[in-house]
Amino acid sequence: MEKIKQTRRNFIATLIALPIAMLGLWRYLNPKRPDNPALLRLPAADLPAGGMLVFRNERIAVMQENNKIIAMKLVCTHLGCTVTVTPQGMICPCHGSRFDRMGNVQNGPAERPLERLAVKQDGDMLVISG
Amino acid sequence: MFRDFLKHLFPRVVLEQNLKLSYSFCLGGLAFTALLLLSLSGILLLLHYQPAATEAYNSIIFIEEMVYGGKYLRSVHRMASHFFLVFIFLHVLRVVFTGAFAPPRQGNWLIGCCLLGLGVFEAYTGYLLPMDQLALWATQTGMTLLEAFPFGKFVTALLVPDEVGGSLSLLRFYVLHVVLLPLVTLCLCMVHFYLVRRQKGLLPYL
């Protein structure tokens, strides 16, 4: 009897295992990209004129400036700490970056302004996403 | 042709006493298996990880949450690295207690010491890549410690050209972890195994 390189059993096992492995690899290489979910919904009437609504858990600040509603992330653009909101502006407790009320950098290791988020009006509710 | 090459990897002679499990507990082989697992899981993780200072952490979260098998793969990579370090440490202990560093094996012992250092450095560079608080502060403490050595400032300036967590430093650690250190480790491993074989010792899988 000659020495066989591959038995029928091995061939069938490979025939079953290989497509399953390829399917797993394909699914790994093609993740479903999430579309921008709505991060926050709030009634438009809650927004104080000339003031700022701060949502600590979502790390979002919403304010009205010249009849335009602006939402920005309270995430320091240096290394991602949550900035503290004061009447004069935003200060980052980690390395001391300072931002003005509009989110522009005044001081500190941060170089980019605070990231803005998309605001959409949905009836009498504001939907913030991004 | 492959078969003939594989046959040449087998030695002409293996000493019978080396075949006992209690001689080496196959620790070196286990360490190499962990290294193979690390390479495979690492290559797959490479396809999703982004080595930019602002994107790195987000890409890790993406791998964990959105990628099929991502959480498992990252877990495999982490666990395999723990096991790798444990196994090479035990392997060093075994070599010391069996006197396998004595002549004619002193060359191989030196190569093994280099491999130990390379393995630990590889684990250290990999630690920064997720860019979370643990990673940043571990790197900061390590670099400050390194500065205390002679020529420390020179070495830390090479490793961390901007600050810890800066984009250049992350990139440098990334290249070290993915390309340079694995290449050198692999080459030294091959020499290490060749010398084991030449001294009529035993290797795993073969």
Side-chain angles (χ1 to χ4, degrees):
Chain A
M1 181 87 145
E2 61 175 62
K3 233 195 300 213
I4 31 176
K5 284 177 279 191
Q6 190 187 41
T7 60
R8 218 171 285 144
R9 178 178 296 182
N10 291 345
F11 178 73
I12 291 176
T14 312
L15 209 60
I16 293 174
L18 203 64
I20 295 175
M22 288 298 111
L23 183 67
L25 188 65
W26 180 255
R27 283 184 71 186
Y28 176 78
L29 293 172
N30 291 302
K32 285 192 270 272
R33 294 212 141 262
D35 41 343
N36 282 345
L39 293 169
L40 195 61
R41 299 177 82 94
L42 66 145
D46 279 358
L47 204 57
M52 186 191 273
L53 275 179
V54 174
F55 296 89
R56 276 185 66 231
N57 278 349
E58 291 84 355
R59 306 210 285 174
I60 295 177
V62 189
M63 58 194 232
Q64 198 162 23
E65 193 81 16
N66 299 333
N67 284 332
K68 221 167 55 124
I69 300 173
I70 299 172
M72 63 177 115
K73 279 170 86 162
L74 294 173
V75 177
C76 181
T77 51
H78 175 228
L79 283 179
C81 292
T82 310
V83 297
T84 314
V85 180
T86 68
Q88 290 78 38
M90 274 71 87
I91 308 177
C92 179
C94 289
H95 304 97
S97 304
R98 283 173 183 271
F99 305 86
D100 65 11
R101 281 193 60 219
M102 299 302 289
N104 300 311
V105 178
Q106 285 175 324
N107 219 353
E111 285 174 6
R112 289 162 288 129
L114 293 180
E115 194 183 323
R116 297 277 176 96
L117 294 168
V119 182
K120 271 199 277 285
Q121 195 109 18
D122 179 19
D124 57 348
M125 298 283 279
L126 291 172
V127 179
I128 299 171
S129 62
Chain B
M1 183 179 69
F2 257 141
R3 275 163 189 274
D4 288 335
F5 174 71
L6 284 176
K7 281 186 194 155
H8 279 82
L9 294 178
F10 285 79
R12 190 172 58 83
V13 171
V14 175
L15 297 178
E16 194 175 342
Q17 68 177 48
N18 293 343
L19 291 172
K20 282 197 290 221
L21 184 71
S22 54
Y23 177 58
S24 72
F25 302 102
C26 216
L27 286 166
L30 286 169
F32 188 64
T33 311
L35 193 65
L36 288 178
L37 261 179
L38 282 170
S39 307
L40 192 60
S41 58
I43 289 175
L44 284 174
L45 283 169
L46 260 181
L47 295 166
H48 283 298
Y49 174 75
Q50 300 193 36
T54 45
E55 298 307 316
Y57 183 69
N58 291 335
S59 67
I60 297 285
I61 299 293
F62 182 73
I63 289 173
E64 293 241 333
E65 293 179 0
M66 305 262 84
V67 176
Y68 175 72
K71 204 172 198 165
Y72 175 69
L73 201 65
R74 183 167 179 238
S75 215
V76 166
H77 198 74
R78 206 172 68 92
M79 285 284 117
S81 89
H82 291 331
F83 276 113
F84 176 66
L85 292 171
V86 167
F87 284 143
I88 47 178
F89 174 67
L90 290 175
H91 177 68
V92 170
L93 273 183
R94 194 280 294 170
V95 166
V96 167
F97 286 141
T98 53
F101 50 85
R105 295 184 174 84
Q106 65 275 47
N108 214 11
W109 165 254
L110 282 175
I111 292 178
C113 288
C114 292
L115 278 170
L116 176 67
L118 279 171
V120 172
F121 192 37
E122 171 92 4
Y124 183 69
T125 49
Y127 212 61
L128 174 65
L129 300 185
M131 283 289 273
D132 53 4
Q133 287 289 358
L134 187 63
L136 282 172
W137 292 110
T139 314
Q140 182 68 46
T141 31
M143 292 295 110
T144 315
L145 181 67
L146 195 57
E147 271 182 22
F149 282 85
F151 300 110
K153 284 220 150 54
F154 173 67
V155 177
T156 39
L158 272 181
L159 283 173
V160 182
D162 43 13
E163 46 174 10
V164 171
S167 42
L168 261 187
S169 310
L170 179 64
L171 197 60
R172 209 153 285 197
F173 270 59
Y174 177 69
V175 169
L176 275 170
H177 183 77
V178 171
V179 179
L180 298 176
L181 290 176
L183 261 177
V184 181
T185 307
L186 211 64
C187 290
L188 279 184
C189 272
M190 294 299 122
V191 181
H192 197 71
F193 297 157
Y194 169 73
L195 285 174
V196 169
R197 263 284 193 256
R198 215 178 74 174
Q199 283 139 15
K200 307 191 183 78
L202 194 65
L203 286 183
Y205 308 134
L206 297 174

